[in-house]
PDB file of all heavy atoms in Angstrom:
ATOM      1  N   LEU A  25     247.167  -5.895 -61.355  1.00 98.00           N
ATOM      2  CA  LEU A  25     247.064  -7.251 -61.950  1.00 98.00           C
ATOM      3  C   LEU A  25     245.892  -7.332 -62.909  1.00 98.00           C
ATOM      4  O   LEU A  25     245.962  -7.858 -64.010  1.00 98.00           O
ATOM      5  CB  LEU A  25     246.908  -8.293 -60.853  1.00 98.00           C
ATOM      6  CG  LEU A  25     248.152  -8.619 -60.040  1.00 98.00           C
ATOM      7  CD1 LEU A  25     247.801  -9.389 -58.758  1.00 98.00           C
ATOM      8  CD2 LEU A  25     249.179  -9.430 -60.859  1.00 98.00           C
ATOM      9  N   SER A  26     244.745  -6.736 -62.472  1.00 98.00           N
ATOM     10  CA  SER A  26     243.539  -6.765 -63.319  1.00 98.00           C
ATOM     11  C   SER A  26     243.723  -5.956 -64.596  1.00 98.00           C
ATOM     12  O   SER A  26     243.278  -6.359 -65.688  1.00 98.00           O
ATOM     13  CB  SER A  26     242.335  -6.169 -62.576  1.00 98.00           C
ATOM     14  OG  SER A  26     242.252  -6.665 -61.342  1.00 98.00           O
ATOM     15  N   ALA A  27     244.400  -4.806 -64.449  1.00 97.00           N
ATOM     16  CA  ALA A  27     244.577  -3.928 -65.642  1.00 97.00           C
ATOM     17  C   ALA A  27     245.445  -4.621 -66.658  1.00 97.00           C
ATOM     18  O   ALA A  27     245.391  -4.295 -67.860  1.00 97.00           O
ATOM     19  CB  ALA A  27     245.211  -2.623 -65.182  1.00 97.00           C
ATOM     20  N   ARG A  28     246.321  -5.542 -66.223  1.00 97.00           N
ATOM     21  CA  ARG A  28     247.127  -6.336 -67.165  1.00 97.00           C
ATOM     22  C   ARG A  28     246.354  -7.502 -67.727  1.00 97.00           C
ATOM     23  O   ARG A  28     246.910  -8.388 -68.426  1.00 97.00           O
ATOM     24  CB  ARG A  28     248.387  -6.811 -66.443  1.00 97.00           C
ATOM     25  CG  ARG A  28     249.369  -5.769 -66.024  1.00 97.00           C
ATOM     26  CD  ARG A  28     250.512  -5.488 -66.991  1.00 97.00           C
ATOM     27  NE  ARG A  28     251.163  -6.625 -67.554  1.00 97.00           N
ATOM     28  CZ  ARG A  28     252.344  -7.098 -67.161  1.00 97.00           C
ATOM     29  NH1 ARG A  28     253.002  -6.499 -66.138  1.00 97.00           N
ATOM     30  NH2 ARG A  28     252.892  -8.162 -67.714  1.00 97.00           N
ATOM     31  N   GLY A  29     245.089  -7.669 -67.372  1.00 96.00           N
ATOM     32  CA  GLY A  29     244.250  -8.767 -67.958  1.00 96.00           C
ATOM     33  C   GLY A  29     244.200 -10.002 -67.161  1.00 96.00           C
ATOM     34  O   GLY A  29     243.603 -10.994 -67.559  1.00 96.00           O
ATOM     35  N   LYS A  30     244.829 -10.012 -65.967  1.00 97.00           N
ATOM     36  CA  LYS A  30     244.821 -11.196 -65.124  1.00 97.00           C
ATOM     37  C   LYS A  30     243.418 -11.439 -64.533  1.00 97.00           C
ATOM     38  O   LYS A  30     242.826 -10.505 -63.958  1.00 97.00           O
ATOM     39  CB  LYS A  30     245.844 -11.067 -64.018  1.00 97.00           C
ATOM     40  CG  LYS A  30     246.054 -12.245 -63.159  1.00 97.00           C
ATOM     41  CD  LYS A  30     246.887 -13.315 -63.842  1.00 97.00           C
ATOM     42  CE  LYS A  30     246.763 -14.604 -63.083  1.00 97.00           C
ATOM     43  NZ  LYS A  30     246.599 -15.800 -63.898  1.00 97.00           N
ATOM     44  N   LYS A  31     242.890 -12.624 -64.672  1.00 96.00           N
ATOM     45  CA  LYS A  31     241.566 -12.963 -64.164  1.00 96.00           C
ATOM     46  C   LYS A  31     241.645 -13.853 -62.958  1.00 96.00           C
ATOM     47  O   LYS A  31     242.715 -14.349 -62.592  1.00 96.00           O
ATOM     48  CB  LYS A  31     240.720 -13.673 -65.232  1.00 96.00           C
ATOM     49  CG  LYS A  31     240.542 -12.837 -66.533  1.00 96.00           C
ATOM     50  CD  LYS A  31     239.675 -11.592 -66.291  1.00 96.00           C
ATOM     51  CE  LYS A  31     239.595 -10.728 -67.526  1.00 96.00           C
ATOM     52  NZ  LYS A  31     239.309  -9.308 -67.239  1.00 96.00           N
ATOM     53  N   ASN A  32     240.479 -14.080 -62.356  1.00 97.00           N
ATOM     54  CA  ASN A  32     240.393 -14.989 -61.189  1.00 97.00           C
ATOM     55  C   ASN A  32     241.256 -14.568 -60.015  1.00 97.00           C
ATOM     56  O   ASN A  32     241.976 -15.373 -59.424  1.00 97.00           O
ATOM     57  CB  ASN A  32     240.745 -16.436 -61.638  1.00 97.00           C
ATOM     58  CG  ASN A  32     240.067 -17.452 -60.736  1.00 97.00           C
ATOM     59  OD1 ASN A  32     239.184 -17.126 -59.953  1.00 97.00           O
ATOM     60  ND2 ASN A  32     240.527 -18.706 -60.860  1.00 97.00           N
ATOM     61  N   ILE A  33     241.169 -13.259 -59.721  1.00 98.00           N
ATOM     62  CA  ILE A  33     241.950 -12.712 -58.593  1.00 98.00           C
ATOM     63  C   ILE A  33     240.933 -12.367 -57.490  1.00 98.00           C
ATOM     64  O   ILE A  33     239.849 -11.860 -57.745  1.00 98.00           O
ATOM     65  CB  ILE A  33     242.629 -11.376 -58.933  1.00 98.00           C
ATOM     66  CG1 ILE A  33     243.353 -11.472 -60.252  1.00 98.00           C
ATOM     67  CG2 ILE A  33     243.630 -10.989 -57.855  1.00 98.00           C
ATOM     68  CD1 ILE A  33     243.827 -10.150 -60.761  1.00 98.00           C
ATOM     69  N   LEU A  34     241.356 -12.631 -56.266  1.00 98.00           N
ATOM     70  CA  LEU A  34     240.494 -12.349 -55.107  1.00 98.00           C
ATOM     71  C   LEU A  34     241.236 -11.525 -54.064  1.00 98.00           C
ATOM     72  O   LEU A  34     242.319 -11.904 -53.620  1.00 98.00           O
ATOM     73  CB  LEU A  34     240.067 -13.697 -54.506  1.00 98.00           C
ATOM     74  CG  LEU A  34     239.273 -13.698 -53.210  1.00 98.00           C
ATOM     75  CD1 LEU A  34     237.931 -13.025 -53.376  1.00 98.00           C
ATOM     76  CD2 LEU A  34     239.062 -15.153 -52.723  1.00 98.00           C
ATOM     77  N   LEU A  35     240.662 -10.397 -53.658  1.00 98.00           N
ATOM     78  CA  LEU A  35     241.249  -9.602 -52.584  1.00 98.00           C
ATOM     79  C   LEU A  35     240.333  -9.732 -51.404  1.00 98.00           C
ATOM     80  O   LEU A  35     239.116  -9.544 -51.520  1.00 98.00           O
ATOM     81  CB  LEU A  35     241.356  -8.117 -52.985  1.00 98.00           C
ATOM     82  CG  LEU A  35     241.920  -7.210 -51.892  1.00 98.00           C
ATOM     83  CD1 LEU A  35     242.828  -6.147 -52.507  1.00 98.00           C
ATOM     84  CD2 LEU A  35     240.814  -6.538 -51.089  1.00 98.00           C
ATOM     85  N   LEU A  36     240.928 -10.058 -50.223  1.00 98.00           N
ATOM     86  CA  LEU A  36     240.126 -10.191 -49.014  1.00 98.00           C
ATOM     87  C   LEU A  36     240.571  -9.205 -47.947  1.00 98.00           C
ATOM     88  O   LEU A  36     241.788  -9.020 -47.736  1.00 98.00           O
ATOM     89  CB  LEU A  36     240.279 -11.631 -48.440  1.00 98.00           C
ATOM     90  CG  LEU A  36     239.660 -12.712 -49.349  1.00 98.00           C
ATOM     91  CD1 LEU A  36     239.951 -14.100 -48.702  1.00 98.00           C
ATOM     92  CD2 LEU A  36     238.155 -12.531 -49.531  1.00 98.00           C
TER      93      LEU A  36
END
Side-chain angles (χ1 to χ4, degrees):
L25 286 166
S26 315
R28 293 265 314 259
K30 185 76 194 138
K31 299 293 175 206
N32 206 13
I33 314 171
L34 173 63
L35 178 143
L36 294 176

